[in-house]
Amino acid sequence: MTQEATLKYIRETERETRKFRLLTLTLVMILFYLQMGPSPDDMGRVISLLGLALGYLAYALALATVILPRVRTPAIVYALVTVDVLALGGAFLLAGTVQTALIAAVPVLVLYYSVFFGYASALFASSLVSIVYVGLAVSFELPTAGSLGRVALDPTIPVQVMSFFFLSLLSGYLGRKRITERQEKEELQEVLGVQNRARGLLEVANALSGSQALDEVLDGLVKDVPQILNATDGVVALLDEEKHELQLQVATLDPAVLKAPRLSDVKFSPNDGAATAQALESGRPVALSGAQPGDPRLPSWARPVLGACALMVIPLSAKEKRLGVVYLIDTVNPSRVFSETEIALAQGYCGLAANAIANALIHRAAEGRISKLLGELQTTIQRMDRQRESRKQLELTVGGLRIDTVNNSVTLDGQRVSLSPTEFDVLYLLAENAGRPLNVDTLLWRVWGEGHTGQTNAVDVCIHRLRRKLGKGGKRILTIRGVGYMLDTGSPEAPARELDAAPVDGGGR
């Protein structure tokens, strides 16, 4: 998990176990009181313990409201362990001995902290408890013994210390398993989140698929406008607002005439040429008659290559957004004056084309985002596959069923069972999650993959074949009504039946 995900997990765990922590605090106080008894001579220590408990309660509230929401490192867990161990050590100190009922709080503390980092936090807690526990035991015996070398500890103390570490190993295993399951669940949610975003963008792209592709729109525009107005050439340039520059896209002119290997290499400022700047600024076409080579009203790319010509610059805009310009060129009749009707016709046609261009640009952007998201999805799936492979067990045994993942072989009660690769993968998933139901979608996704386009009942067919090939052992593959399937851990003779269960996502390979 990432650092932010780990911090979120720590905060959630602390919030979920807050009542448990306060209950433990109450239990410690009760045990202490029962140990001391209601004697007036011990009331001072009881009051001290009460002060310790109230101080710890204030710390617990500050932890929930101030400390954890602001902390930025998962290492805070080790600080929490230290505070709790010191608080427990303070209770032992007030009790005046380590041989009290307070020792029952130690397993609770070790188990609690194992849920954070598994072995690491559990071993840290047990080590710190052992140091404090033995240190207090020595300090209590030192006044009687007279010197450190004569201190004789109670024979049960080493056994208790060993039990602390044994408990840390057991609880660490359980804590690590919980963390792994949570991590797998988050990874699956991450994949599903990427899938949902990709599907949403695909729906947008499909909605726009009725519009023409950008290249088709531009090619049609540069051919249609000259034909409509009986001009010799047409050129289309699109505007990049971020870079504040126009870039040629299509033209009936030969790129060699423009002295550029490709049209897209011709880039210029929107303010390059008075006609272009005026058209973009006003949002209306600008017509020139009898323009000469080098005329400052022409864009820079046109000045050295066009002779005398008539020129109309038509702005492209849609939804109040500037998209570019269309240059309509007439070199056959350079003294031509475009009429108001011709200008209105060109503007109307280019307005329709601008809407199609805007849709095509949205389509192109959506396709780019979809490609990126699908790339993220593929990367995430590959990462999860590698992680699952690294966690794959070499051999699984459930009852008399033995699955060898090295040789891809299955034996039942010593008899080899021949399975197809798909049947082997399904059985492995069921065995790895024996006793837990797996839903059909999880089996389909983990075995057949995201790109599966075959039969929708592929899982049911595969389960039917597995049951038949396993014979009596096949009865252990149970149908879980409304969910999917589960491998029973009971005897091979257990009858196949339908059960009710909540959906569970399996770990898988």
Side-chain angles (χ1 to χ4, degrees):
M1 290 189 291
T2 64
Q3 178 169 301
E4 188 59 36
T6 303
L7 286 171
K8 180 181 177 182
Y9 170 67
I10 291 171
R11 295 183 188 114
E12 289 177 354
T13 302
E14 194 280 334
R15 184 170 59 250
E16 292 168 358
T17 58
R18 191 173 303 152
K19 293 180 180 179
F20 168 77
R21 289 161 62 88
L22 297 178
L23 180 62
T24 303
L25 175 63
T26 304
L27 179 63
V28 168
M29 292 182 63
I30 293 173
L31 290 174
F32 182 89
Y33 185 77
L34 292 176
Q35 180 73 21
M36 294 297 97
S39 173
D41 297 336
D42 294 319
M43 287 307 295
R45 282 193 286 177
V46 172
I47 293 173
S48 298
L49 179 68
L50 182 60
L52 178 65
L54 291 176
Y56 185 82
L57 179 61
Y59 155 75
L61 295 176
L63 179 67
T65 58
V66 179
I67 300 175
L68 285 182
R70 290 173 172 77
V71 75
R72 290 293 177 267
T73 172
I76 186 66
V77 169
Y78 297 107
L80 303 183
V81 176
T82 303
V83 172
D84 284 357
V85 171
L86 292 178
L88 183 59
F92 278 118
L93 188 62
L94 291 174
T97 177
V98 294
Q99 299 299 322
T100 72
L102 294 174
I103 195 68
V106 174
V108 175
L109 188 146
V110 175
L111 283 169
Y112 172 71
Y113 279 105
S114 68
V115 302
F116 289 100
F117 297 146
Y119 292 109
S121 54
L123 285 171
F124 181 80
S126 60
S127 299
L128 200 57
V129 166
S130 299
I131 292 171
V132 172
Y133 186 69
V134 174
L136 288 173
V138 171
S139 67
F140 291 146
E141 294 295 329
L142 189 58
T144 303
S147 66
L148 189 61
R150 295 181 179 179
V151 172
L153 296 179
D154 190 294
T156 61
I157 290 180
V159 177
Q160 290 172 336
V161 171
M162 291 178 61
S163 69
F164 297 161
F165 284 96
F166 177 77
L167 178 64
S168 69
L169 293 175
L170 177 61
S171 60
Y173 169 76
L174 298 175
R176 174 52 56 185
K177 186 175 181 181
R178 179 177 186 265
I179 294 170
T180 302
E181 290 176 353
R182 180 187 177 93
Q183 186 174 354
E184 290 179 350
K185 182 179 179 180
E186 289 180 349
E187 289 172 352
L188 183 58
Q189 289 175 343
E190 179 184 353
V191 171
L192 294 176
V194 175
Q195 284 179 313
N196 290 336
R197 285 189 291 158
R199 285 170 180 162
L201 286 178
L202 281 172
E203 290 176 2
V204 174
N206 290 334
L208 295 173
S209 61
S211 302
Q212 291 177 294
L214 180 60
D215 292 341
E216 295 177 355
V217 175
L218 296 178
D219 286 339
L221 180 61
V222 81
K223 293 176 182 177
D224 291 345
V225 174
Q227 290 179 357
I228 292 172
L229 298 180
N230 193 27
T232 51
D233 293 294
V235 178
V236 179
L238 293 184
L239 177 64
D240 187 335
E241 288 280 9
E242 293 184 359
K243 297 181 179 179
H244 193 64
E245 67 179 14
L246 287 161
Q247 181 181 47
L248 296 191
Q249 300 293 320
V250 291
T252 55
L253 296 171
D254 188 346
V257 175
L258 300 174
K259 299 180 181 180
R262 297 174 300 177
L263 284 175
S264 58
D265 293 333
V266 181
K267 302 175 183 179
F268 55 100
S269 169
N271 297 322
D272 182 9
T276 303
Q278 183 180 348
L280 286 172
E281 183 66 26
S282 65
R284 292 183 54 81
V286 174
L288 304 178
S289 178
Q292 299 298 317
D295 192 319
R297 295 176 297 176
L298 298 176
S300 57
W301 61 266
R303 294 168 195 166
V305 299
L306 294 180
C309 67
L311 178 72
M312 186 191 302
V313 185
I314 312 159
L316 294 170
S317 61
K319 300 176 182 178
E320 299 181 351
K321 182 178 180 180
R322 302 187 304 173
L323 301 176
V325 291
V326 177
Y327 295 100
L328 189 62
I329 305 167
D330 191 347
T331 54
V332 174
N333 185 11
S335 59
R336 173 180 178 178
V337 177
F338 292 99
S339 67
E340 290 296 328
T341 301
E342 290 174 327
I343 293 174
L345 183 60
Q347 185 177 19
Y349 184 86
C350 289
L352 294 174
N355 289 326
I357 291 173
N359 288 336
L361 289 172
I362 294 173
H363 193 150
R364 175 179 286 185
E367 286 183 333
R369 293 172 65 186
I370 290 168
S371 298
K372 181 180 178 181
L373 285 172
L374 291 178
E376 292 177 6
L377 174 62
Q378 187 62 32
T379 301
T380 304
I381 291 174
Q382 290 173 353
R383 172 166 55 83
M384 290 180 64
D385 286 339
R386 289 193 298 269
Q387 290 175 344
R388 284 195 297 272
E389 284 296 319
S390 66
R391 291 194 292 264
K392 184 175 69 174
Q393 301 181 46
L394 299 180
E395 181 177 300
L396 277 177
T397 303
V398 182
L401 183 66
R402 179 178 173 273
I403 301 176
D404 183 351
T405 60
V406 176
N407 301 308
N408 282 6
S409 63
V410 175
T411 57
L412 179 62
D413 297 329
Q415 299 296 317
R416 186 179 179 88
V417 181
S418 178
L419 300 178
S420 69
T422 300
E423 293 165 350
F424 180 88
D425 288 341
V426 171
L427 184 60
Y428 178 92
L429 276 174
L430 293 172
E432 190 179 41
N433 297 276
R436 294 193 303 162
L438 293 180
N439 60 49
V440 174
D441 290 339
T442 297
L443 288 168
L444 195 63
W445 180 68
R446 292 291 169 84
V447 176
W448 281 265
E450 174 63 20
H452 175 68
T453 56
Q455 295 177 322
T456 56
N457 65 337
V459 175
D460 300 330
V461 173
C462 186
I463 292 294
H464 174 74
R465 292 174 179 171
L466 271 175
R467 284 171 171 165
R468 178 168 51 82
K469 290 185 177 183
L470 292 173
K472 291 184 178 179
K475 296 179 180 180
R476 294 172 58 188
I477 302 178
L478 309 180
T479 300
I480 310 301
R481 188 183 299 112
V483 180
Y485 299 97
M486 179 181 75
L487 182 63
D488 192 2
T489 57
S491 62
E493 286 74 28
R497 60 189 185 274
E498 289 194 342
L499 300 173
D500 288 310
V504 174
D505 287 326
R509 284 189 290 172

